[in-house]
Amino acid sequence: MSKQKQIGMLFLLASITFAALSCNVASSNEQFFGKTTPPERNIFRYVTGDEPESLDPAISNGQPEARIYMAMFEGLVEYDAKTLGPQPALAERWEANNDSSEFKFYPRHNGRFSNGDPIDATDFVYSFRRALAKETASRNAYLSYYIKYAQAFNEQKVFVRDPQTGQFLLAKDFDAETPPEPLSGSPFDPAKGEYPRAAEQHPASAEQGAQHFIYEDNTEFHKQMHTPLRLTLPGDAKARNKALDADPKLKAAVAGKELVPVKAEDIGVEAIDKYTLRISLVQPGPFFVGLLAHQLYRVVPRKVIEKYGSQWTQQQNIVTSGPFKMKTWRPYDKLVLERDPMNWDAASVKLDEIHFYPMSDNPTIMNLYKVGEIDAVLNHTVPNAWLEVVRTKQDYMDGAEASINYLLMNVTQPPMNDVRVRKAFNFAIDKKAWAQWRKIVKPLTAFTPEGIFPGYPQPKGDQFNPEEGRRLLGEAGYPVIKKPDGSYSCPKFPVDQVEYIYNTQESNKAMAEWMQAQWKQNLGITISLRNMEWRTFLNARAKLEYKGFSRGAWGADYMDPFTFLSLFYTGGENGTGWVDPKYVAMLDDANRTPDPKKRFELLAQAEKYLIDAQPMIPLDTAAVNFVKKPYVKGMYPNAGSLYPWKYVYIERDPSKWDYGSPSLTAD
Amino acid sequence: MLRFIVRRLLVTIPTILVVITITWGLIKLAPGNFYSGEKRLPPAIEKAIREKYGLDKPWYQQYGKTIWGIVRHGDFGTSLRYEGQSVNAIIRRSLPVSAAVGILAYLLALIVGVAAGSIAALKQNSRWDYTSMTLAMLGISVPNFVLGPILVLVFSLTLYWLPPSRWGGFPSRNLILPVLTLSAIYMAYIARLARAGMLEVLRSDYIRTARAKGLSEKDVLIKHALRGGLMPVVSYTGPALAFLLTGTVVVERIFALPGLGNYFIQASLNRDEPLIIGIVAFIAITLLLMNLLVDIAYAYLDPRVRYH
């Protein structure tokens, strides 16, 4: 055979081999995606996402860190594995006052850090104060702003006090819009029955005792909390003078008074005794207890932090409070946690160890899962192109997710500053077709995830109506012309003034092209696409350095509609430039309403207002999508993808495995 | 010779400082910062973060502080993104991983490449010659981000022989695929260079003399021909090391190895200024030193080369 023929044979052989191999991979008829051999030891191997920024639970607000914190640190309450509602953790029980503006928690007597030190209410007071301290620079501090003076301390503001009388200036005297005081700020009057439920819970003290119960912990701090909200001014002299110059009445009142910096001790948290913790809120907060499961509120070891400072999370120093403690940590390789025998609930912890592997490339993570080297992957790891195959497997998890996708619009520049133009573009997108194409999402016309909050009367936005969109564009001065072949064109529309920006990723590119095609098809306008690296994109969007549309998505911080609606609470940096004091007032009104049902109605009204103003185009409610091995039990695809790790275990009897998504309905 | 070495070492220091300065400037000019997220942080929190890391000071103060720390203590500071971890510790921890993969890959490439190339030169125009040169062509044309996933697909996902990614310590089965992926292109290049160099040397007079004297083919090859024939390979080593370092970055990413390359990409994406500067400086120093070593080796191999 000649040389050329030989080489030709070689290549033919190689191609056939590759073809055969790839067919083998693609047409697998197995029930599950990859190997399903449980690990030999009683360990659980999980990919968290990227390398964690820090193991200090107060600092980071990223997704990868959240699941690690849940294993290493514990709070007063913990997320329920299925509903994400608050379950007692380090707190045995709690009570709320009449309008949910003050709470009392009762920490367990057997709470322990991993080095054996006891955990009591003073540790929680320390943890909350530290989380809000300027030096900690916590990204999540805003989640604590419901606590009285928490925001003032975190922002380093000052009180204003009269040196002669010792009286502080009050907020309501200088701001007519100051809301009425909740019960936690009103003068304390036992006759008001601030804690009627206390009588139910302590029947022994109901008669003579009710008075006894309420009076005995009316400490000096408590009395001080029950005074009207004090006025606070910026601590920075320049900002303060600016505020004073803007308000002559304020300036006159402040003259001659002394400025007292807001200290950590002013925050509305108090350890009445070692096993009673009281929290005073600045407004009624019916959702507040659920918020306390967040990592910001988990307890940290005071002695260790004071000794080692920012090095306290290093392997040789760290002390934890959760069901698992650190065994070894090799950054960018793996973090190994083991069961903490000191934890109050160590008997319920099923796993011996958890291994967290930090990785960020989705196909690499899925490959690792396929060969059986990890037991579950984090949410949204399955690449879109793989969904056809992976969705049919019985280890694919899906379920409703408390997160939404949408497009933001820069409303400060023409033509998008015209609400008719914005509505036109919204009308021109067929959300149902989008959901079908994307496969794992549900269409959305509002700004909160659908079906996630029980009892919430979510408003409906505009449905797909391209005819109406074209009409609105014409009204706005950009008439849409129908061409002889049936397609549309809009020659007057300034396409050079509008673009669509997104951060570089395969799925985002496909999404951008899909949107572009919709607008071309229904409005006859071709919007140019521009992709950029993640942080450059965040920067451009926050500073409004883009014209037209940008991609957006948000997942709930806590299980309440307000976590979504609050994205437009502050103006300017929400990526659109849209701000409306009326919307802010509607939200504030809702949050001040003690009745949960009425509150939901008011929130829904605010949401309707937001949808009508159309600073964004809603697209879909996302769905949870990840894979976990069938032998992993106790891990449920809940709406926040948050797993209390102590309930997770490895089941070695195949008849008891999970075949398909485990049900979320309580049993 | 000694004067030459000393002079080269002295030039290294200002070179590194210039590299650091340019890198620092580029980072400052890049948009974005290390703490940004989907939801914009409230201004007070952002201010606290910037103050904590000294980002609120004027640019010349920040530059001065950075340079002073490096020059005075050799301290590149603490990572902005990874709380409490010093840059020096990160480099110290990740260097062995990158070094293991890189050195093994290059050794493999040298051994296989030189052997294949020399035999091809000896048996010129034979079946062996054509096959190995065709494979070399393939090795040069297939990029490592294509070769890596193909190897993973075959050996890991289909045959389940080898792990698809992650670091398993040294030595372990996890090293096999990354080293193979990284070495492929160098193996190919070195084979071709060795073949070309050997072909030229084998034609020269002193080899004919050695053969005429009656030395065995093996002695002719190893004792006499190799030294001269490997000159092209040695001079290729300098730039090859530069590409090896960048190639390592891609391979580490594909195989999720906790090496310098992976940290470097992450640091750039995270705008982690101290870490970027630390890694860039480290790579620059390594490159300069390696090139110096190659020049010294060159002088050893070829007596005609003299340095002043």
Side-chain angles (χ1 to χ4, degrees), chain A residues 24 53 134-135 138 155 311 331-333 367-368 373 533 535-536 541-542 553 573, chain B residues 33 36 38 40 44-45 51 81-84 157-158 165-166 263 266 269 271:
Chain A
N24 176 35
E53 197 178 3
K134 177 181 148 187
E135 298 72 40
S138 166
E155 294 182 349
Q311 298 291 309
Y332 257 115
D333 188 27
N367 287 343
L368 216 55
E373 293 213 357
E533 180 260 338
R535 283 182 199 277
T536 316
R541 197 177 64 176
E573 289 128 6
Chain B
N33 48 56
S36 45
E38 184 79 26
R40 179 82 176 206
I45 296 178
E51 269 176 34
R81 172 85 182 159
Y82 304 114
E83 185 83 8
L157 298 175
T158 313
S165 57
R166 294 200 62 247
Y263 265 108
Q266 276 307 122
L269 293 176
R271 308 287 194 278

mmCIF file of all heavy atoms in Angstrom, chain A residues 24 53 134-135 138 155 311 331-333 367-368 373 533 535-536 541-542 553 573, chain B residues 33 36 38 40 44-45 51 81-84 157-158 165-166 263 266 269 271:
data_model
loop_
_atom_site.group_PDB
_atom_site.id
_atom_site.type_symbol
_atom_site.label_atom_id
_atom_site.label_comp_id
_atom_site.label_asym_id
_atom_site.label_seq_id
_atom_site.Cartn_x
_atom_site.Cartn_y
_atom_site.Cartn_z
ATOM 1 N N ASN A 24 -21.804 6.577 21.647
ATOM 2 C CA ASN A 24 -21.968 5.868 22.916
ATOM 3 C C ASN A 24 -22.383 6.841 24.017
ATOM 4 O O ASN A 24 -23.245 6.566 24.818
ATOM 5 C CB ASN A 24 -20.642 5.171 23.275
ATOM 6 C CG ASN A 24 -20.723 4.502 24.621
ATOM 7 O OD1 ASN A 24 -21.775 3.990 24.989
ATOM 8 N ND2 ASN A 24 -19.638 4.515 25.342
ATOM 9 N N GLU A 53 -15.243 33.791 48.683
ATOM 10 C CA GLU A 53 -14.551 35.038 48.931
ATOM 11 C C GLU A 53 -13.966 35.032 50.349
ATOM 12 O O GLU A 53 -12.877 35.487 50.605
ATOM 13 C CB GLU A 53 -15.597 36.134 48.825
ATOM 14 C CG GLU A 53 -15.094 37.502 48.658
ATOM 15 C CD GLU A 53 -16.254 38.464 48.521
ATOM 16 O OE1 GLU A 53 -17.423 38.040 48.627
ATOM 17 O OE2 GLU A 53 -15.970 39.628 48.312
ATOM 18 N N LYS A 134 -18.249 49.083 60.676
ATOM 19 C CA LYS A 134 -17.639 49.606 59.452
ATOM 20 C C LYS A 134 -16.466 48.729 59.024
ATOM 21 O O LYS A 134 -16.296 48.451 57.846
ATOM 22 C CB LYS A 134 -17.169 51.028 59.749
ATOM 23 C CG LYS A 134 -16.457 51.673 58.614
ATOM 24 C CD LYS A 134 -16.006 53.054 59.019
ATOM 25 C CE LYS A 134 -14.711 53.378 58.288
ATOM 26 N NZ LYS A 134 -14.111 54.600 58.719
ATOM 27 N N GLU A 135 -15.677 48.237 59.974
ATOM 28 C CA GLU A 135 -14.471 47.484 59.639
ATOM 29 C C GLU A 135 -14.807 46.170 58.956
ATOM 30 O O GLU A 135 -14.030 45.659 58.181
ATOM 31 C CB GLU A 135 -13.645 47.175 60.899
ATOM 32 C CG GLU A 135 -13.135 48.377 61.652
ATOM 33 C CD GLU A 135 -14.222 49.107 62.376
ATOM 34 O OE1 GLU A 135 -15.111 48.431 62.941
ATOM 35 O OE2 GLU A 135 -14.211 50.347 62.361
ATOM 36 N N SER A 138 -19.492 44.510 55.581
ATOM 37 C CA SER A 138 -20.363 43.438 55.108
ATOM 38 C C SER A 138 -21.165 43.876 53.882
ATOM 39 O O SER A 138 -21.728 44.955 53.865
ATOM 40 C CB SER A 138 -21.331 43.035 56.221
ATOM 41 O OG SER A 138 -22.366 42.249 55.684
ATOM 42 N N GLU A 155 -23.928 53.116 58.648
ATOM 43 C CA GLU A 155 -23.550 54.238 57.789
ATOM 44 C C GLU A 155 -22.786 55.299 58.553
ATOM 45 O O GLU A 155 -22.563 56.391 58.032
ATOM 46 C CB GLU A 155 -24.806 54.840 57.143
ATOM 47 C CG GLU A 155 -25.464 53.867 56.172
ATOM 48 C CD GLU A 155 -26.686 54.453 55.486
ATOM 49 O OE1 GLU A 155 -27.146 55.527 55.906
ATOM 50 O OE2 GLU A 155 -27.174 53.825 54.545
ATOM 51 N N GLN A 311 -7.575 37.140 60.208
ATOM 52 C CA GLN A 311 -7.032 35.800 59.995
ATOM 53 C C GLN A 311 -7.843 34.735 60.716
ATOM 54 O O GLN A 311 -7.428 33.574 60.751
ATOM 55 C CB GLN A 311 -5.570 35.747 60.514
ATOM 56 C CG GLN A 311 -4.643 36.696 59.789
ATOM 57 C CD GLN A 311 -4.408 36.258 58.359
ATOM 58 O OE1 GLN A 311 -4.059 35.120 58.108
ATOM 59 N NE2 GLN A 311 -4.623 37.165 57.427
ATOM 60 N N PRO A 331 -7.505 26.135 49.480
ATOM 61 C CA PRO A 331 -8.261 26.987 48.577
ATOM 62 C C PRO A 331 -8.089 26.561 47.125
ATOM 63 O O PRO A 331 -7.026 26.122 46.715
ATOM 64 C CB PRO A 331 -7.662 28.374 48.817
ATOM 65 C CG PRO A 331 -7.145 28.316 50.203
ATOM 66 C CD PRO A 331 -6.659 26.907 50.400
ATOM 67 N N TYR A 332 -9.135 26.683 46.364
ATOM 68 C CA TYR A 332 -9.193 26.332 44.966
ATOM 69 C C TYR A 332 -9.093 24.839 44.726
ATOM 70 O O TYR A 332 -9.058 24.395 43.596
ATOM 71 C CB TYR A 332 -8.124 27.047 44.123
ATOM 72 C CG TYR A 332 -8.741 28.179 43.365
ATOM 73 C CD1 TYR A 332 -8.382 29.488 43.634
ATOM 74 C CD2 TYR A 332 -9.727 27.921 42.428
ATOM 75 C CE1 TYR A 332 -8.997 30.512 42.976
ATOM 76 C CE2 TYR A 332 -10.342 28.959 41.767
ATOM 77 C CZ TYR A 332 -9.968 30.246 42.052
ATOM 78 O OH TYR A 332 -10.579 31.273 41.408
ATOM 79 N N ASP A 333 -9.066 24.079 45.804
ATOM 80 C CA ASP A 333 -8.989 22.638 45.633
ATOM 81 C C ASP A 333 -10.153 21.987 46.344
ATOM 82 O O ASP A 333 -11.055 21.453 45.703
ATOM 83 C CB ASP A 333 -7.652 22.127 46.158
ATOM 84 C CG ASP A 333 -7.456 20.674 45.830
ATOM 85 O OD1 ASP A 333 -8.039 20.227 44.821
ATOM 86 O OD2 ASP A 333 -6.744 19.990 46.559
ATOM 87 N N ASN A 367 -19.151 16.927 34.043
ATOM 88 C CA ASN A 367 -18.323 15.750 33.753
ATOM 89 C C ASN A 367 -17.921 15.036 35.029
ATOM 90 O O ASN A 367 -17.940 13.818 35.117
ATOM 91 C CB ASN A 367 -17.062 16.167 32.982
ATOM 92 C CG ASN A 367 -17.376 16.527 31.555
ATOM 93 O OD1 ASN A 367 -18.433 16.178 31.040
ATOM 94 N ND2 ASN A 367 -16.476 17.229 30.912
ATOM 95 N N LEU A 368 -17.552 15.836 36.021
ATOM 96 C CA LEU A 368 -17.146 15.270 37.302
ATOM 97 C C LEU A 368 -18.301 14.498 37.923
ATOM 98 O O LEU A 368 -18.130 13.429 38.515
ATOM 99 C CB LEU A 368 -16.722 16.417 38.213
ATOM 100 C CG LEU A 368 -15.573 16.191 39.172
ATOM 101 C CD1 LEU A 368 -14.354 15.730 38.433
ATOM 102 C CD2 LEU A 368 -15.258 17.486 39.904
ATOM 103 N N GLU A 373 -17.542 11.398 40.671
ATOM 104 C CA GLU A 373 -16.619 11.917 41.691
ATOM 105 C C GLU A 373 -17.272 12.951 42.592
ATOM 106 O O GLU A 373 -16.703 13.337 43.602
ATOM 107 C CB GLU A 373 -15.389 12.527 41.006
ATOM 108 C CG GLU A 373 -14.556 11.481 40.310
ATOM 109 C CD GLU A 373 -13.075 11.806 40.333
ATOM 110 O OE1 GLU A 373 -12.704 12.874 40.846
ATOM 111 O OE2 GLU A 373 -12.303 10.985 39.836
ATOM 112 N N GLU A 533 -17.349 41.648 29.417
ATOM 113 C CA GLU A 533 -16.972 40.819 30.562
ATOM 114 C C GLU A 533 -17.820 41.208 31.776
ATOM 115 O O GLU A 533 -18.322 42.331 31.863
ATOM 116 C CB GLU A 533 -15.471 41.012 30.794
ATOM 117 C CG GLU A 533 -14.896 40.234 31.941
ATOM 118 C CD GLU A 533 -14.730 41.072 33.174
ATOM 119 O OE1 GLU A 533 -14.663 42.302 33.041
ATOM 120 O OE2 GLU A 533 -14.719 40.512 34.268
ATOM 121 N N ARG A 535 -17.636 42.012 35.104
ATOM 122 C CA ARG A 535 -17.550 43.214 35.929
ATOM 123 C C ARG A 535 -17.654 44.497 35.119
ATOM 124 O O ARG A 535 -18.161 45.507 35.599
ATOM 125 C CB ARG A 535 -16.241 43.205 36.733
ATOM 126 C CG ARG A 535 -16.394 42.267 37.867
ATOM 127 C CD ARG A 535 -15.219 42.182 38.785
ATOM 128 N NE ARG A 535 -15.342 40.938 39.526
ATOM 129 C CZ ARG A 535 -16.083 40.793 40.610
ATOM 130 N NH1 ARG A 535 -16.729 41.816 41.103
ATOM 131 N NH2 ARG A 535 -16.198 39.633 41.182
ATOM 132 N N THR A 536 -17.146 44.447 33.896
ATOM 133 C CA THR A 536 -17.317 45.604 33.027
ATOM 134 C C THR A 536 -18.804 45.836 32.792
ATOM 135 O O THR A 536 -19.283 46.974 32.793
ATOM 136 C CB THR A 536 -16.613 45.352 31.680
ATOM 137 O OG1 THR A 536 -15.339 44.780 31.936
ATOM 138 C CG2 THR A 536 -16.469 46.622 30.889
ATOM 139 N N ARG A 541 -23.752 48.919 33.564
ATOM 140 C CA ARG A 541 -25.175 48.929 33.876
ATOM 141 C C ARG A 541 -25.467 49.833 35.068
ATOM 142 O O ARG A 541 -26.403 50.620 35.046
ATOM 143 C CB ARG A 541 -25.650 47.502 34.161
ATOM 144 C CG ARG A 541 -27.145 47.352 34.083
ATOM 145 C CD ARG A 541 -27.531 45.928 34.289
ATOM 146 N NE ARG A 541 -27.179 45.471 35.605
ATOM 147 C CZ ARG A 541 -27.475 44.276 36.076
ATOM 148 N NH1 ARG A 541 -28.095 43.415 35.309
ATOM 149 N NH2 ARG A 541 -27.122 43.916 37.276
ATOM 150 N N ALA A 542 -24.636 49.734 36.121
ATOM 151 C CA ALA A 542 -24.889 50.529 37.319
ATOM 152 C C ALA A 542 -24.699 52.016 37.031
ATOM 153 O O ALA A 542 -25.434 52.855 37.532
ATOM 154 C CB ALA A 542 -23.967 50.082 38.440
ATOM 155 N N ALA A 553 -31.195 39.847 36.346
ATOM 156 C CA ALA A 553 -31.778 38.689 37.029
ATOM 157 C C ALA A 553 -31.624 38.917 38.524
ATOM 158 O O ALA A 553 -30.695 39.588 38.961
ATOM 159 C CB ALA A 553 -31.061 37.407 36.612
ATOM 160 N N GLU A 573 -28.945 53.732 40.997
ATOM 161 C CA GLU A 573 -28.054 52.602 40.745
ATOM 162 C C GLU A 573 -28.773 51.291 40.545
ATOM 163 O O GLU A 573 -28.187 50.236 40.720
ATOM 164 C CB GLU A 573 -27.077 52.470 41.910
ATOM 165 C CG GLU A 573 -26.074 53.587 41.926
ATOM 166 C CD GLU A 573 -26.006 54.275 43.279
ATOM 167 O OE1 GLU A 573 -26.652 53.796 44.225
ATOM 168 O OE2 GLU A 573 -25.310 55.301 43.361
ATOM 169 N N ASN B 33 -14.876 46.645 39.536
ATOM 170 C CA ASN B 33 -14.144 46.510 40.794
ATOM 171 C C ASN B 33 -14.454 45.155 41.397
ATOM 172 O O ASN B 33 -15.329 44.446 40.916
ATOM 173 C CB ASN B 33 -14.518 47.631 41.756
ATOM 174 C CG ASN B 33 -16.017 47.784 41.819
ATOM 175 O OD1 ASN B 33 -16.729 46.835 42.111
ATOM 176 N ND2 ASN B 33 -16.490 48.970 41.537
ATOM 177 N N SER B 36 -18.287 44.318 43.134
ATOM 178 C CA SER B 36 -19.581 44.582 42.492
ATOM 179 C C SER B 36 -20.384 43.304 42.355
ATOM 180 O O SER B 36 -19.838 42.211 42.264
ATOM 181 C CB SER B 36 -19.389 45.219 41.127
ATOM 182 O OG SER B 36 -18.376 44.538 40.413
ATOM 183 N N GLU B 38 -24.747 41.778 41.325
ATOM 184 C CA GLU B 38 -25.944 42.031 40.525
ATOM 185 C C GLU B 38 -26.705 43.233 41.058
ATOM 186 O O GLU B 38 -27.190 44.065 40.312
ATOM 187 C CB GLU B 38 -26.824 40.774 40.523
ATOM 188 C CG GLU B 38 -28.044 40.879 39.666
ATOM 189 C CD GLU B 38 -27.759 40.667 38.193
ATOM 190 O OE1 GLU B 38 -26.778 39.986 37.881
ATOM 191 O OE2 GLU B 38 -28.523 41.191 37.373
ATOM 192 N N ARG B 40 -26.595 46.660 43.120
ATOM 193 C CA ARG B 40 -25.616 47.652 43.493
ATOM 194 C C ARG B 40 -25.600 47.814 45.014
ATOM 195 O O ARG B 40 -26.629 47.895 45.647
ATOM 196 C CB ARG B 40 -26.006 48.966 42.824
ATOM 197 C CG ARG B 40 -25.123 50.117 43.124
ATOM 198 C CD ARG B 40 -23.888 50.134 42.263
ATOM 199 N NE ARG B 40 -23.118 51.335 42.537
ATOM 200 C CZ ARG B 40 -22.293 51.923 41.712
ATOM 201 N NH1 ARG B 40 -22.101 51.412 40.548
ATOM 202 N NH2 ARG B 40 -21.660 53.007 42.046
ATOM 203 N N ALA B 44 -23.062 53.698 51.455
ATOM 204 C CA ALA B 44 -22.291 53.671 52.700
ATOM 205 C C ALA B 44 -21.459 52.406 52.794
ATOM 206 O O ALA B 44 -20.310 52.426 53.237
ATOM 207 C CB ALA B 44 -23.236 53.770 53.895
ATOM 208 N N ILE B 45 -22.034 51.288 52.350
ATOM 209 C CA ILE B 45 -21.293 50.027 52.405
ATOM 210 C C ILE B 45 -20.134 50.057 51.422
ATOM 211 O O ILE B 45 -19.024 49.621 51.730
ATOM 212 C CB ILE B 45 -22.236 48.843 52.109
ATOM 213 C CG1 ILE B 45 -23.295 48.740 53.195
ATOM 214 C CG2 ILE B 45 -21.459 47.559 52.006
ATOM 215 C CD1 ILE B 45 -24.294 47.648 52.987
ATOM 216 N N GLU B 51 -12.685 52.127 51.860
ATOM 217 C CA GLU B 51 -11.771 52.623 52.897
ATOM 218 C C GLU B 51 -10.967 51.484 53.479
ATOM 219 O O GLU B 51 -9.784 51.612 53.749
ATOM 220 C CB GLU B 51 -12.582 53.298 54.006
ATOM 221 C CG GLU B 51 -12.765 54.776 53.766
ATOM 222 C CD GLU B 51 -13.638 55.415 54.816
ATOM 223 O OE1 GLU B 51 -13.572 54.964 55.982
ATOM 224 O OE2 GLU B 51 -14.376 56.340 54.472
ATOM 225 N N ARG B 81 -9.924 39.975 46.985
ATOM 226 C CA ARG B 81 -11.101 39.150 46.837
ATOM 227 C C ARG B 81 -11.165 38.065 47.914
ATOM 228 O O ARG B 81 -12.232 37.763 48.415
ATOM 229 C CB ARG B 81 -11.043 38.507 45.455
ATOM 230 C CG ARG B 81 -12.079 37.484 45.219
ATOM 231 C CD ARG B 81 -13.352 38.089 44.744
ATOM 232 N NE ARG B 81 -14.354 37.052 44.570
ATOM 233 C CZ ARG B 81 -15.653 37.253 44.557
ATOM 234 N NH1 ARG B 81 -16.109 38.452 44.682
ATOM 235 N NH2 ARG B 81 -16.476 36.254 44.384
ATOM 236 N N TYR B 82 -10.057 37.484 48.246
ATOM 237 C CA TYR B 82 -10.035 36.379 49.212
ATOM 238 C C TYR B 82 -9.567 36.929 50.554
ATOM 239 O O TYR B 82 -8.378 37.103 50.794
ATOM 240 C CB TYR B 82 -9.148 35.242 48.728
ATOM 241 C CG TYR B 82 -9.580 34.751 47.373
ATOM 242 C CD1 TYR B 82 -8.769 34.915 46.261
ATOM 243 C CD2 TYR B 82 -10.832 34.167 47.192
ATOM 244 C CE1 TYR B 82 -9.175 34.488 45.024
ATOM 245 C CE2 TYR B 82 -11.236 33.740 45.948
ATOM 246 C CZ TYR B 82 -10.410 33.905 44.860
ATOM 247 O OH TYR B 82 -10.819 33.498 43.628
ATOM 248 N N GLU B 83 -10.524 37.148 51.414
ATOM 249 C CA GLU B 83 -10.298 37.818 52.677
ATOM 250 C C GLU B 83 -9.172 37.181 53.483
ATOM 251 O O GLU B 83 -9.167 35.991 53.737
ATOM 252 C CB GLU B 83 -11.604 37.731 53.488
ATOM 253 C CG GLU B 83 -11.603 38.466 54.784
ATOM 254 C CD GLU B 83 -11.917 39.936 54.601
ATOM 255 O OE1 GLU B 83 -12.271 40.319 53.477
ATOM 256 O OE2 GLU B 83 -11.805 40.665 55.577
ATOM 257 N N GLY B 84 -8.212 37.963 53.888
ATOM 258 C CA GLY B 84 -7.199 37.486 54.820
ATOM 259 C C GLY B 84 -6.119 36.597 54.225
ATOM 260 O O GLY B 84 -5.276 36.093 54.950
ATOM 261 N N LEU B 157 -14.885 10.077 30.293
ATOM 262 C CA LEU B 157 -16.333 9.958 30.261
ATOM 263 C C LEU B 157 -16.812 8.684 29.583
ATOM 264 O O LEU B 157 -17.919 8.253 29.806
ATOM 265 C CB LEU B 157 -16.936 11.172 29.544
ATOM 266 C CG LEU B 157 -16.654 12.485 30.241
ATOM 267 C CD1 LEU B 157 -17.168 13.641 29.409
ATOM 268 C CD2 LEU B 157 -17.291 12.512 31.610
ATOM 269 N N THR B 158 -15.968 8.113 28.705
ATOM 270 C CA THR B 158 -16.411 6.913 28.006
ATOM 271 C C THR B 158 -15.788 5.664 28.615
ATOM 272 O O THR B 158 -16.477 4.703 28.904
ATOM 273 C CB THR B 158 -16.029 6.999 26.514
ATOM 274 O OG1 THR B 158 -16.408 8.269 26.033
ATOM 275 C CG2 THR B 158 -16.740 5.923 25.723
ATOM 276 N N SER B 165 -11.056 15.821 35.910
ATOM 277 C CA SER B 165 -10.526 17.122 36.321
ATOM 278 C C SER B 165 -10.130 17.051 37.791
ATOM 279 O O SER B 165 -10.262 16.023 38.428
ATOM 280 C CB SER B 165 -11.571 18.219 36.125
ATOM 281 O OG SER B 165 -12.753 17.909 36.835
ATOM 282 N N ARG B 166 -9.628 18.164 38.302
ATOM 283 C CA ARG B 166 -9.258 18.363 39.700
ATOM 284 C C ARG B 166 -7.875 17.823 40.008
ATOM 285 O O ARG B 166 -7.349 16.962 39.305
ATOM 286 C CB ARG B 166 -10.283 17.759 40.671
ATOM 287 C CG ARG B 166 -11.608 18.478 40.602
ATOM 288 C CD ARG B 166 -12.470 18.266 41.808
ATOM 289 N NE ARG B 166 -11.789 18.795 42.967
ATOM 290 C CZ ARG B 166 -11.335 18.025 43.950
ATOM 291 N NH1 ARG B 166 -11.503 16.749 43.943
ATOM 292 N NH2 ARG B 166 -10.725 18.591 44.968
ATOM 293 N N TYR B 263 -5.439 30.850 39.165
ATOM 294 C CA TYR B 263 -5.525 32.006 40.049
ATOM 295 C C TYR B 263 -5.386 33.295 39.260
ATOM 296 O O TYR B 263 -6.040 34.301 39.540
ATOM 297 C CB TYR B 263 -4.414 31.951 41.114
ATOM 298 C CG TYR B 263 -4.847 31.334 42.402
ATOM 299 C CD1 TYR B 263 -4.400 30.078 42.774
ATOM 300 C CD2 TYR B 263 -5.711 32.001 43.254
ATOM 301 C CE1 TYR B 263 -4.800 29.508 43.962
ATOM 302 C CE2 TYR B 263 -6.108 31.452 44.443
ATOM 303 C CZ TYR B 263 -5.657 30.195 44.791
ATOM 304 O OH TYR B 263 -6.055 29.642 45.968
ATOM 305 N N GLN B 266 -8.631 34.083 37.438
ATOM 306 C CA GLN B 266 -9.638 34.503 38.402
ATOM 307 C C GLN B 266 -9.329 35.889 38.946
ATOM 308 O O GLN B 266 -10.214 36.721 39.112
ATOM 309 C CB GLN B 266 -9.712 33.502 39.574
ATOM 310 C CG GLN B 266 -10.579 32.292 39.309
ATOM 311 C CD GLN B 266 -11.968 32.693 38.851
ATOM 312 O OE1 GLN B 266 -12.413 32.313 37.779
ATOM 313 N NE2 GLN B 266 -12.656 33.473 39.655
ATOM 314 N N LEU B 269 -10.312 38.453 36.375
ATOM 315 C CA LEU B 269 -11.766 38.615 36.298
ATOM 316 C C LEU B 269 -12.315 39.280 37.541
ATOM 317 O O LEU B 269 -13.316 39.972 37.502
ATOM 318 C CB LEU B 269 -12.434 37.248 36.097
ATOM 319 C CG LEU B 269 -12.151 36.572 34.758
ATOM 320 C CD1 LEU B 269 -12.785 35.196 34.731
ATOM 321 C CD2 LEU B 269 -12.681 37.411 33.621
ATOM 322 N N ARG B 271 -10.702 41.528 39.316
ATOM 323 C CA ARG B 271 -10.023 42.812 39.538
ATOM 324 C C ARG B 271 -9.289 42.797 40.881
ATOM 325 O O ARG B 271 -9.322 43.762 41.630
ATOM 326 C CB ARG B 271 -11.004 43.992 39.524
ATOM 327 C CG ARG B 271 -11.894 44.049 38.327
ATOM 328 C CD ARG B 271 -11.168 44.468 37.072
ATOM 329 N NE ARG B 271 -12.100 44.816 36.019
ATOM 330 C CZ ARG B 271 -12.690 43.939 35.222
ATOM 331 N NH1 ARG B 271 -12.443 42.669 35.355
ATOM 332 N NH2 ARG B 271 -13.542 44.363 34.301
#
